[in-house]
Amino acid sequence: MHNSISLKHLYYCIPISLRDGGVNISMSVFYITTPIYYPNARPHIGHAYTTVFADTLARYHRMIGDDTFFLTGTDEHGLKLQRAAEKKGVDPKTFVDEMVVYYKEYWKLLNISYDWFIRTTDDYHVHTVEKMISELHRKGLLYKDRYSGWYCASCEKYYSETEYEVVDDKPHCPIHKKPLEWLEEETYYFKLSEYRDFMLDVLEKTEIVYPKSYAVEVANRLKKEGLRDVSIARPKERVSWGVELPFDREYTVYVWFDALLNYISAIGYPDDLQRFNHYWPAAHHVIGKDILWFHTVIWFSVLKALDIPLPKKVLVHAFLVNRGIKMGKSAGNVISIEYMVDRYGVDGTRYILMRLMNMAKDVDVTQELFDNVYNTELADVYGNLIRRVGVLVKRKLKGRLEPTSVEQGIAEAIENALDSYSKEMERFDVSRALGTAIELLRKGNAYVNETKPWQQSDPSKSLYTLAELIRAATVMLHPVIPSTTSRTAESFGFPITTPKELRLGENGYTVKESPILFKKTG
Ligand code: MSP
């Protein structure tokens, strides 16, 4: 899975005219990214929330045949990492080399199908950062001046008076609730203020930011506060752990500028424009709302300054909240990935996170809520139907179902569910897409109760109808719970097709086993 980049690289070595045998195959491209995470600590379920969401969209797009590229990685430079390493008494590179292993392990555990893992300490990325910052310099978009302000090293961000919170007369970070540090230094500025009107146009007239409410929020802030130039360098004596400014070695590049460029360096910018041009128009950035400003105002302005088109979408989600506060290491309210996987399994964890996925509203998580989603949907509805139908097919029909017609009401329900499922997935509403699958499976359970196949002398039609319903729902659940759905497909003997290709009444079944897919908790 993680080696697929090499295949894709090879593909780009083939002249366009020869690719796909010279035939012009029209295939959609889908490029999806997660934020690159700070590897100062292990990831928790807040990070998994974003990553599983991106993984689900990537898996869905692969399933429907799109040429998909899924990028994740780690954001390894800057003050936060420099300090974390100092605290451990090791040099920053040794520290991040150790920490990045955890990220890869957790993503492997959660079955994250990324195509490439970028580290901002990778040479090719550093090379892109150097080139891009030099380009801005060459264009006259940088200047040197003094900067002073309140800084949060956990966010790697300055906070203005309107943004920070005052506790005991001291400015505090609104996210980490920790006191801010006062910094005063010579720095390089990027002329961000020149992009105010451009940004307002993008936010108000395009659909790039999704949901739109986030675009409105940023636009309002721009109107109210205007847009000031942003410092994009740090004196090396204070932040040594970063990419040096090629035109002034006394400075390192501000970590956010460095980090945002990962989205283009990973797909070959600026050295492999063919590869870049293939993926970039289809770029979808998944982010949490905490980094909205960086991914709109700063990122879009930098792209504009570099004459690079904007990404297709920025998909913004709200927070997982625990005991009223955003889940995070500094808040001390983290729920670990291990805990979730121990209790609900890998697919159970993935399902719970995706079923609770909410772009607009924070979700206050509790074990009760998790148990409820897991038990009432995965165990009682999906698991239960597979088990019941599997047992009945084996007992009543020796495990074999020949293709026959599907009960009309159920056939319609399947078609409708598939249709709404695809629509929900296309509009990135994974939770509702899952809801359509569960609704369909509930109809299946009700149909078993109504038709009582165990009492029929020939229950072929009822059971075939149910197998077709199971097949459709399994395809729908596949991007979220891929191991479980593969097991169902294997047990019932059917291939996972795309939702659009799924034709009813043609597939026969040989049921090998009737697995218990989910054990109830509590
Ligand atoms: N390194 C930057 C991102 C640079 S992208 C060019 C960063 N990293 S982070 O490690 O702090 O991770 C941030 C992301 O993790 C958030 O944007 C969000 O997607 C996810 N989450 C972390 N905690 C979360 C919650 N409690 N709830 C939901 N998402 C959470 O910022």
Side-chain angles (χ1 to χ4, degrees):
M1 156 180 76
H2 301 163
N3 294 330
S4 54
I5 183 94
S6 51
L7 285 177
K8 292 195 187 207
H9 276 138
L10 275 180
Y11 178 79
Y12 287 95
C13 299
I14 308 171
I16 288 187
S17 55
L18 298 179
R19 285 183 205 164
D20 310 317
V23 181
N24 185 10
I25 297 174
S26 83
M27 190 195 234
S28 292
V29 178
F30 186 73
Y31 173 37
I32 185 141
T33 66
T34 69
I36 46 172
Y37 302 101
Y38 293 125
N40 61 314
R42 300 174 189 207
H44 52 72
I45 65 164
H47 304 110
Y49 194 51
T50 310
T51 310
V52 176
F53 180 50
D55 185 58
T56 298
L57 296 176
R59 284 176 182 272
Y60 170 75
H61 281 273
R62 278 190 210 112
M63 179 167 91
I64 63 168
D66 288 348
D67 175 358
T68 302
F69 190 78
F70 173 18
L71 175 71
T72 191
T74 39
D75 185 357
E76 304 188 356
H77 290 128
L79 190 60
K80 182 179 176 120
L81 267 305
Q82 182 179 310
R83 284 186 180 162
E86 262 165 29
K87 223 168 141 185
K88 282 253 169 158
V90 289
D91 71 284
K93 184 64 166 73
T94 310
F95 179 70
V96 293
D97 281 351
E98 273 170 31
M99 292 303 294
V100 84
V101 174
Y102 288 118
Y103 274 82
K104 291 190 174 170
E105 277 174 2
Y106 279 104
W107 297 156
K108 194 170 175 196
L109 172 67
L110 287 177
N111 215 350
I112 305 300
S113 63
Y114 58 79
D115 293 295
W116 190 244
F117 191 102
I118 188 167
R119 300 182 56 183
T120 52
T121 49
D122 288 338
D123 287 346
Y124 68 90
H125 174 77
V126 169
H127 168 74
T128 300
V129 175
E130 287 168 347
K131 279 204 146 176
M132 295 307 104
I133 199 109
S134 302
E135 181 65 6
L136 294 182
H137 191 233
R138 193 189 61 77
K139 288 187 162 196
L141 291 166
L142 306 183
Y143 64 95
K144 204 171 179 185
D145 204 349
R146 242 189 131 60
Y147 193 96
S148 57
W150 292 102
Y151 198 72
C152 171
S154 296
C155 296
E156 291 280 19
K157 172 179 163 42
Y158 283 104
Y159 277 100
S160 69
E161 236 167 84
T162 52
E163 294 173 299
Y164 61 62
E165 289 173 358
V166 179
V167 182
D168 296 335
D169 283 341
K170 291 195 187 78
H172 280 62
C173 170
I175 296 192
H176 296 94
K177 313 284 173 200
K178 289 192 300 198
L180 299 174
E181 315 173 39
W182 178 253
L183 292 179
E184 233 178 301
E185 61 201 19
E186 278 280 299
T187 186
Y188 281 87
Y189 282 88
F190 166 56
K191 295 182 180 169
L192 186 65
S193 56
E194 292 188 357
Y195 298 88
R196 181 186 171 275
D197 295 347
F198 163 74
M199 270 318 301
L200 275 178
D201 262 11
V202 171
L203 293 165
E204 292 182 336
K205 298 188 188 142
T206 76
E207 302 299 314
I208 299 180
V209 178
Y210 182 85
K212 185 85 180 187
S213 52
Y214 289 110
V216 173
E217 189 185 309
V218 177
N220 288 344
R221 188 174 150 194
L222 275 177
K223 284 183 200 157
K224 202 168 130 210
E225 295 173 17
L227 190 53
R228 287 194 299 179
D229 293 344
V230 60
S231 152
I232 59 155
R234 301 290 183 258
K236 217 169 162 189
E237 69 213 24
R238 191 168 67 77
V239 187
S240 58
W241 181 233
V243 179
E244 280 179 0
L245 286 194
F247 47 88
D248 188 342
R249 301 275 171 203
E250 291 309 306
Y251 286 86
T252 53
V253 174
Y254 174 38
V255 62
W256 264 101
F257 181 78
D258 172 350
L260 286 163
L261 290 170
N262 93 88
Y263 300 131
I264 60 173
S265 72
I267 52 167
Y269 198 82
D271 294 343
D272 184 353
L273 288 181
Q274 199 172 27
R275 183 156 173 262
F276 175 76
N277 289 333
H278 180 75
Y279 285 114
W280 184 246
H284 293 70
H285 300 314
V286 173
I287 60 162
K289 65 180 180 180
D290 48 342
I291 52 177
L292 173 64
W293 180 261
F294 291 105
H295 281 81
T296 50
V297 175
I298 299 197
W299 183 222
F300 293 180
S301 302
V302 167
L303 287 169
K304 175 80 180 156
L306 294 170
D307 299 312
I308 299 173
L310 300 187
K312 187 163 179 191
K313 288 274 175 217
V314 175
L315 306 173
V316 192
H317 65 71
F319 296 147
L320 289 186
V321 162
N322 191 7
R323 302 190 296 271
I325 303 176
K326 179 197 173 201
M327 193 183 295
K329 187 179 167 242
S330 20
N333 61 352
V334 156
I335 297 178
S336 74
I337 294 171
E338 287 94 324
Y339 166 82
M340 292 293 284
V341 170
D342 274 356
R343 193 167 174 87
Y344 308 107
V346 170
D347 279 355
T349 302
R350 291 174 57 102
Y351 184 88
I352 292 167
L353 293 176
M354 289 307 95
R355 189 65 167 124
L356 296 179
M357 174 52 69
N358 197 318
M359 312 285 280
K361 286 198 204 111
D362 291 348
V363 179
D364 215 324
V365 297
T366 57
Q367 181 176 303
E368 203 186 345
L369 177 67
F370 292 158
D371 278 2
N372 189 43
V373 171
Y374 175 86
N375 288 331
T376 63
E377 299 194 344
L378 283 183
D380 288 349
V381 178
Y382 186 53
N384 187 34
L385 189 65
I386 302 297
R387 176 83 185 147
R388 287 170 98 186
V389 174
V391 166
L392 284 166
V393 175
K394 286 184 78 167
R395 204 175 287 160
K396 302 279 291 186
L397 301 168
K398 299 199 177 72
R400 181 65 201 164
L401 284 169
E402 296 306 330
T404 177
S405 63
V406 173
E407 192 80 48
Q408 204 192 334
I410 296 290
E412 277 164 19
I414 295 174
E415 304 287 0
N416 290 339
L418 285 167
D419 195 45
S420 350
Y421 169 81
S422 301
K423 286 195 181 116
E424 297 300 354
M425 287 304 272
E426 301 294 333
R427 65 168 84 110
F428 317 105
D429 198 331
V430 171
S431 177
R432 285 176 80 141
L434 289 174
T436 60
I438 291 297
E439 225 17 70
L440 180 64
L441 289 159
R442 284 212 172 94
K443 286 204 174 90
N445 275 311
Y447 181 78
V448 179
N449 299 344
E450 279 156 30
T451 56
K452 300 185 175 51
W454 59 92
Q455 287 179 358
Q456 296 177 31
S457 56
D458 180 9
S460 315
K461 180 159 179 168
S462 304
L463 290 176
Y464 186 77
T465 296
L466 285 160
E468 288 286 76
L469 182 148
I470 285 173
R471 181 162 70 100
T474 299
V475 166
M476 291 157 76
L477 295 172
H478 190 56
V480 177
I481 51 169
S483 307
T484 310
T485 46
S486 300
R487 176 147 183 226
T488 307
E490 174 74 7
S491 307
F492 276 61
F494 62 82
I496 305 253
T497 50
T498 78
K500 289 202 174 80
E501 279 166 1
L502 199 145
R503 267 178 259 302
L504 298 179
E506 291 174 5
N507 190 75
Y509 296 85
T510 301
V511 176
K512 281 196 275 188
E513 56 159 358
S514 39
I516 296 170
L517 298 174
F518 302 98
K519 290 205 177 70
K520 278 180 91 155
T521 61

